[in-house]
Amino acid sequence: MSYDRVRHRRLRGSAAIRALVRETRVSPEQFIYPMFVTSGTNVKHEIPSMPGVYHMSLDLLEAEAAELRALGIRAVLLFGVPDAKDEVASSAYAEDGIVQQAIRKLKSVDPELLVVADTCVCQYTTHGHCGIVEHHPHTNRAEIVNDPSLELHVKTAVSQAKAGADIIAPSNMMDGFVAAIRSGLDESGLSHVPIMSYAVKYASAYYGPFRDAAHSAPQFGDRKTYQMDPANVREAIREAESDVVEGADFLMVKPALAYLDVIRAVREQFELPLVAYNTSAEYSMVKAAAANGWIDERAIVLETLTGMKRAGADVIITYHAKDAAKWLKEEIR
């Protein structure tokens, strides 16, 4: 019996040779770890729908930064859980806002930690929407108005950058938000601060646990008039192109797992660093299945993160970051 000379299995024969020819690599240096900061002292409350993720007070951030440094994770994404909310999200851009305080704290204890500030106002408004709500004079229906909302996001971005944020990450999906924030930062002497745009953000069911964590569920309606229809991918390219023209430094696709085709499409069209947001429900589904013994959590997480990198992501925002970093270190050993 004759065989072809081409034997693909030759390059799969050992762990060492598989590692040698591996095309896609996942590294903790390219993780961003999301954190939920709150007021109080010695507060570390686990979020019920997100096992292993916590609401954490400012006094615990130094220890958290040290743990991340030891794991090789060098970037965090900050979300604030404020004490007070109002119609115009005033605590989002207050000098003593919870995120502004957290930025200053983290930069004081670890100046080399890359601090990314989520720039949105949904968790700071009483209505839970990502902008200003007005009633249409003819229909009397509540609408999230675009241009007045941009003013809130600019003020928030400038406040966060002045507090020391290394990167501003606007997630509101208002038209023109990158251009408005870029102008606001530049006019405030902050032209060196990059913008990580949530360029392609879908109106997704994969955000459920996050809204529990950030206390940001809308009090009426939904976000489908400003976040994208999950059925659309050509629209994603238009959204990303607008942000490139407006001055974005990173592009993001959110969610990631059900949108790997979108990540690939954006990667093929644009040269900017591309971020995949491995969202809260993607995380919680894995945690729930693992808790029931249905899956191998470690294998599933590392395979999923590899898939996001293979699709074209340069950076991954993930709640799995700590566990994944530990597992990757063990593989190297």
Side-chain angles (χ1 to χ4, degrees):
M1 185 178 293
S2 62
Y3 295 94
D4 292 335
R5 292 185 179 183
V6 177
R7 294 294 184 100
H8 300 291
R9 289 181 58 187
R10 294 188 190 116
L11 300 184
R12 303 172 190 158
S14 69
I17 199 166
R18 290 192 297 273
L20 185 68
V21 299
R22 186 161 295 140
E23 300 172 21
T24 304
R25 299 183 186 275
V26 179
S27 170
E29 290 85 359
Q30 292 180 313
F31 292 158
I32 299 177
Y33 182 61
M35 296 171 58
F36 298 91
V37 291
T38 189
S39 59
T41 302
N42 201 32
V43 175
K44 190 175 182 181
H45 294 156
E46 189 172 44
I47 298 161
S49 58
M50 299 178 69
V53 179
Y54 299 86
H55 289 138
M56 190 173 298
S57 54
L58 299 170
D59 56 307
L60 301 184
L61 295 184
E62 183 171 3
E64 187 76 359
E67 180 184 0
L68 294 171
R69 186 187 313 113
L71 290 170
I73 299 167
R74 304 305 301 133
V76 297
L77 175 61
L78 291 183
F79 297 96
V81 182
D83 290 328
K85 304 185 181 193
D86 58 32
E87 291 290 307
V88 293
S90 57
S91 60
Y93 51 84
E95 186 176 348
D96 62 349
I98 188 62
V99 164
Q100 287 78 358
Q101 292 184 63
I103 294 167
R104 289 191 287 268
K105 177 69 173 180
L106 285 170
K107 295 306 288 187
S108 70
V109 300
D110 187 352
E112 298 306 312
L113 180 69
L114 196 68
V115 177
V116 185
D118 179 81
T119 305
C120 196
V121 298
C122 56
Q123 63 264 48
Y124 302 96
T125 56
T126 49
H127 47 72
H129 279 285
C130 305
I132 297 289
V133 174
E134 293 182 358
H135 288 273
H136 194 280
H138 301 298
T139 64
N140 201 34
R141 293 175 58 184
E143 294 184 2
I144 296 82
V145 291
N146 197 92
D147 294 3
S149 298
L150 294 178
E151 298 176 18
L152 286 185
H153 297 295
V154 171
K155 289 198 290 187
T156 301
V158 170
S159 175
Q160 293 168 337
K162 285 183 175 179
D166 297 290
I167 298 174
I168 295 300
S171 58
N172 55 86
M173 288 299 284
M174 297 293 117
D175 288 336
F177 70 98
V178 172
I181 290 172
R182 183 72 273 158
S183 295
L185 291 172
D186 292 352
E187 291 165 8
S188 300
L190 298 162
S191 60
H192 62 285
V193 177
I195 294 174
M196 179 182 287
S197 172
Y198 285 67
V200 180
K201 182 178 180 182
Y202 288 89
S204 172
Y206 281 92
Y207 305 150
F210 173 88
R211 290 174 181 172
D212 179 30
H215 303 164
S216 63
Q219 298 303 298
F220 66 88
D222 53 42
R223 295 175 179 154
K224 293 180 180 179
T225 63
Y226 46 104
Q227 294 177 359
M228 284 179 53
D229 184 338
N232 295 353
V233 64
R234 294 193 301 272
E235 183 184 9
I237 300 303
R238 298 199 302 272
E239 286 278 3
E241 185 174 20
S242 294
D243 290 3
V244 171
V245 171
E246 291 176 20
D249 300 284
F250 298 78
L251 298 174
M252 188 191 302
V253 175
K254 181 183 181 184
L257 192 57
Y259 297 85
L260 296 177
D261 62 317
V262 181
I263 294 172
R264 169 53 56 187
V266 174
R267 171 76 294 149
E268 290 176 350
Q269 290 289 324
F270 304 102
E271 297 297 325
L272 290 180
L274 181 57
V275 184
Y277 198 134
N278 182 205
T279 57
S280 57
E282 296 169 20
Y283 171 86
S284 296
M285 289 189 299
V286 170
K287 284 291 187 181
N292 280 283
W294 297 336
I295 61 170
D296 179 336
E297 181 180 359
R298 171 178 173 154
I300 287 286
V301 169
L302 294 181
E303 186 175 340
T304 298
L305 298 178
T306 299
M308 293 171 189
K309 291 279 290 189
R310 192 182 62 247
D314 301 297
V315 179
I316 302 175
I317 300 170
T318 180
Y319 303 95
H320 294 294
K322 288 183 179 180
D323 287 336
K326 293 173 187 175
W327 295 328
L328 290 166
K329 281 192 172 185
E330 289 170 4
E331 286 193 353
I332 292 171
R333 295 194 194 104

